[in-house]
Amino acid sequence: MAEVQSFDNLLACRNLLKASVDNSTALALALDKTGPRIAELDQKLTFLEMAIRPGGSKNCTFAAVRDHISLALGPSAAVLKILDSIRELEKSLLSDSLPHSDIFSYISTIKQFEDAIKFLTANCNLAIQWLEGVIQFLEGNSVADDRYISKVKRSVAILEELQATGEQAGRNGELLSGAFAKLEISFKQILTESNAPLGFTNSSSPWTAEQAYNAALPLPGPILRKLQAIVEKLNTGNRTNSCISVFTEVRSLNAKNSLRALDLDYLENAVEEYDDVQDMEGCIHEWSKHMEFIVKCVLESEHMLCKEVFGSLASGAWTGCFAKIAVESGILLFLRFGMSIAESKKSPTKLLHLLNIFSVLETLRMDFNKLFGGESCNEIKTMTRDLVTKVVNGASEIFWELPLQVELERRSSPPSDGGVPRLVSFVTDYCNWLLDDNYRPILTQVLRIHQGWKYEKYEEGLVTNQIYSIVREIAVNLDAWSKAYERKALSYIFMMNNHCHFTSLKGTKLGNLMGDSWLNAHGNYKEYYSALYLRETWGKILASLTQDNPDSSPKMRLMAFNEAFDDLYKKQLNWVVIDESLTNKMHKLVVQALVPAYTSYLQKYRVVVEHRSDVFYTVQSLETMLNTLFKAKQVKYTSSTIGSHLTGEQRNAVIDQLRLTLTAM
């Protein structure tokens, strides 16, 4: 209302100024008529020679006053016209309706108003200068009376008041402030109505360039041009802070809504809360997809939009705006999740987790540099740098400790059933994972970076040499464990199983690395320990039948054989052979060694057998019992089952055991 009253005063001033200008015009006409009359009098009064000059001086004076008034009339008339235009523009700017439906016309009206104010002040200044000249001239030459001079001075005062009012209006006066406030409201309304969260595609494949580009266009072109026009107009009045604040708030909410459909509870959980290794692997897999989505899709679009809307501002405000949106979107929460993995207790699987995290960060490295390279994103940039440092150092440290870690497990006990130790199964699978195409390039890059940080040259073959060291430690462990068995036969079963396990690595990454000669050697050792087992067990009890002993009767030898068989069978009932084909082969060898000899002996001493048939095994029962050996917990190891033959509980037990070892180091 103050602005309206101000312009009502201006209107009154305009009327007074118009009257003053009319009086000035009348004075000029009167002066024009007075000049010739004085000239005529000068001609008639020739006898007053000294009066001629004053008469000519007055004629010149009147002409000068007329010129000054004429020059003042033009700017004064322009002031009157521009006041009418300002009044009409004022009505448009004070309209109750919001301008967002025709924002460009409203911005044009504001510009016309600003130009009118500038034109008003410029013409006021020019008219004031000429009228002040008239006053000075009249006062110096006593041409007009004081009443007329007072009116001219009043006109000057009115023009000065108009000029001051125009200058104030041009510096965000109440009317302009109201117009800018409408623009700010329209900015928020346009932005809010155009908001739409981005959808997440749960796909295992990475984002394509086309997908990322399409996702980075969150607003239609016409909407974007409206926002740009509002920002550019508000910038002329230094009124962009409100728009930046609104934009940050609205777009931050949109980014959060884009992530709301995702299940992000895992980001809040501590690493220790994951009891199962596979649960952690699943969370890291989800993290990698979500991380790619928020960076390549959500934040890429926000980055582009910030630059498009506020890029014209010389202050570079758009980078600070984007930084706030990025923080509000939750990117720091994703980085903290990676940090929690990097800071967790050491374990073999942690190395794989760290490599997965590094792979994601490396994939997004160019995006991070583009989005968060500015000073405004220092918090994100610093946390990302710290995360990369912890990942590289942590992964390298665990990798270098692996052989020693395997060596320290030498003190543990071997399986009571003669099977393959969980540690051996896990470590061979683990080596296959490290050599896999999904991990080996990443591991190599991590080690190369780590060596560079220490100013050491990276040597090719470093990864394979470390794998060789791990395998050597496993072999030494097997020798030590085999000696821990009280029964030689069980130690032979143990060694046979483990050599069989190594033989089954043919076709895997580890098997290919170790080579055919290594695989064949384990095959030969498998046969060797198989033969030792047969000789140590069934070969000894078979001797009680085949060797003649004059001190024992056939009946006693048969009873001794049955007792020895029964005892040996019971001892081996829980022993295992891990490979089905090897089990079948062992059955066949044992049956071939015992059954024919036993059959022959029974036929030879049929009379004895017939009298005590309830004491001795039949050939069929003997063969049936032999075929039931080695079938407990039987597992078939092939290249397709590497990494899957350990249950989650078993693998967790191995990892916990190795974690304790690593933590103690």
Side-chain angles (χ1 to χ4, degrees), residues 181-219:
K182 285 188 176 183
L183 287 182
E184 292 169 348
I185 295 173
S186 295
F187 182 89
K188 182 174 183 178
Q189 188 166 350
I190 293 171
L191 187 64
T192 304
E193 291 176 352
S194 306
N195 256 14
L198 299 172
F200 172 71
T201 302
N202 194 358
S203 173
S204 58
S205 58
W207 279 72
T208 64
E210 183 178 0
Q211 286 175 318
Y213 177 77
N214 292 334
L217 299 174
L219 296 180

Side-chain angles (χ1 to χ4, degrees), residues 232-518:
E232 289 174 4
K233 184 69 256 174
L234 290 175
N235 188 39
T236 62
N238 296 321
R239 289 282 295 267
T240 56
N241 289 339
S242 178
C243 280
I244 293 175
S245 177
V246 166
F247 186 91
T248 302
E249 177 186 352
V250 173
R251 294 308 300 180
S252 295
L253 180 60
N254 190 74
K256 291 178 181 178
N257 289 336
S258 297
L259 299 176
R260 188 162 293 166
L262 309 179
D263 184 9
L264 301 179
D265 291 341
Y266 67 89
L267 295 178
E268 303 285 354
N269 296 335
V271 176
E272 292 77 10
E273 296 181 20
Y274 295 96
D275 297 328
D276 192 277
V277 175
Q278 292 179 334
D279 289 343
M280 174 57 72
E281 292 173 354
C283 288
I284 293 177
H285 179 66
E286 288 297 301
W287 176 84
S288 65
K289 293 190 297 181
H290 295 163
M291 188 73 164
E292 188 175 21
F293 172 68
I294 189 176
V295 173
K296 284 186 172 292
C297 181
V298 177
L299 293 183
E300 174 66 29
S301 66
E302 298 303 331
H303 184 270
M304 179 180 294
L305 192 58
C306 286
K307 188 174 183 180
E308 289 291 332
V309 175
F310 299 109
S312 61
L313 304 185
S315 61
W318 74 271
T319 56
C321 180
F322 168 72
K324 294 177 182 177
I325 294 174
V327 171
E328 289 295 323
S329 71
I331 184 65
L332 294 178
L333 195 60
F334 282 86
L335 294 175
R336 289 191 189 102
F337 176 82
M339 193 70 76
S340 67
I341 302 295
E343 294 174 348
S344 62
K345 295 179 181 179
K346 290 189 292 184
S347 72
T349 53
K350 179 183 175 180
L351 171 57
L352 303 180
H353 298 336
L354 294 178
L355 294 180
N356 286 329
I357 291 174
F358 181 85
S359 177
V360 173
L361 296 176
E362 178 62 18
T363 301
L364 299 175
R365 179 167 57 88
M366 298 300 294
D367 300 276
F368 267 71
N369 291 340
K370 172 186 174 183
L371 299 178
F372 312 122
E375 292 184 2
S376 301
C377 296
N378 275 341
E379 184 179 6
I380 300 175
K381 192 163 49 177
T382 300
M383 183 173 289
T384 304
R385 187 185 301 114
D386 292 343
L387 176 57
V388 172
T389 301
K390 288 181 180 294
V391 166
V392 170
N393 289 338
S396 300
E397 183 179 355
I398 294 175
F399 179 73
W400 290 119
E401 292 175 356
L402 286 175
L404 180 58
Q405 177 188 358
V406 174
E407 177 187 348
L408 293 175
E409 291 302 312
R410 201 167 297 161
R411 295 169 295 182
S412 60
S413 301
S416 60
D417 58 5
V420 177
R422 294 175 181 176
L423 177 67
V424 174
S425 300
F426 178 82
V427 170
T428 52
D429 290 347
Y430 190 79
C431 290
N432 271 304
W433 293 330
L434 294 181
L435 294 171
D436 187 77
D437 294 339
N438 292 326
Y439 283 114
R440 185 169 182 173
I442 305 170
L443 176 59
T444 301
Q445 186 176 4
V446 166
L447 295 175
R448 191 185 300 274
I449 293 173
H450 189 255
Q451 295 291 95
W453 287 350
K454 297 192 301 181
Y455 301 100
E456 296 178 0
K457 183 180 179 181
Y458 176 81
E459 297 181 1
E460 297 297 333
L462 188 150
V463 173
T464 56
N465 289 337
Q466 190 74 342
I467 297 296
Y468 289 143
S469 298
I470 294 172
V471 173
R472 281 195 298 268
E473 294 301 329
I474 292 176
V476 176
N477 283 11
L478 290 176
D479 287 338
W481 287 332
S482 68
K483 296 174 182 177
Y485 288 104
E486 295 180 359
R487 298 186 181 90
K488 285 186 178 181
L490 184 55
S491 70
Y492 297 151
I493 288 289
F494 172 77
M495 294 300 287
M496 180 186 68
N497 278 327
N498 282 277
H499 286 296
C500 180
H501 171 71
F502 289 129
T503 305
S504 70
L505 295 174
K506 185 174 183 179
T508 67
K509 295 292 183 179
L510 180 58
N512 294 338
L513 174 67
M514 302 306 296
D516 290 338
S517 59
W518 183 83

Side-chain angles (χ1 to χ4, degrees), residues 55 102 134 168 220:
D102 192 8
V134 170
Q168 182 182 1

Side-chain angles (χ1 to χ4, degrees), residues 26-98:
L27 176 62
L29 292 174
L31 290 174
D32 286 340
K33 294 179 181 179
T34 305
R37 291 176 62 189
I38 294 176
E40 183 179 356
L41 290 173
D42 287 340
Q43 292 176 1
K44 291 180 179 181
L45 300 174
T46 56
F47 62 88
L48 296 174
E49 184 177 355
M50 296 302 296
I52 295 176
R53 294 176 183 172
S57 176
K58 288 179 181 180
N59 189 25
C60 293
T61 300
F62 294 149
V65 171
R66 180 190 60 200
D67 292 341
H68 275 78
I69 292 175
S70 297
L71 291 171
L73 287 177
S76 299
V79 168
L80 296 177
K81 290 181 180 180
I82 202 64
L83 282 174
D84 291 333
S85 299
I86 289 174
R87 189 64 176 175
E88 293 300 319
L89 293 171
E90 176 191 11
K91 294 179 181 178
S92 299
L93 295 179
L94 292 175
S95 174
D96 292 334
S97 61
L98 290 174

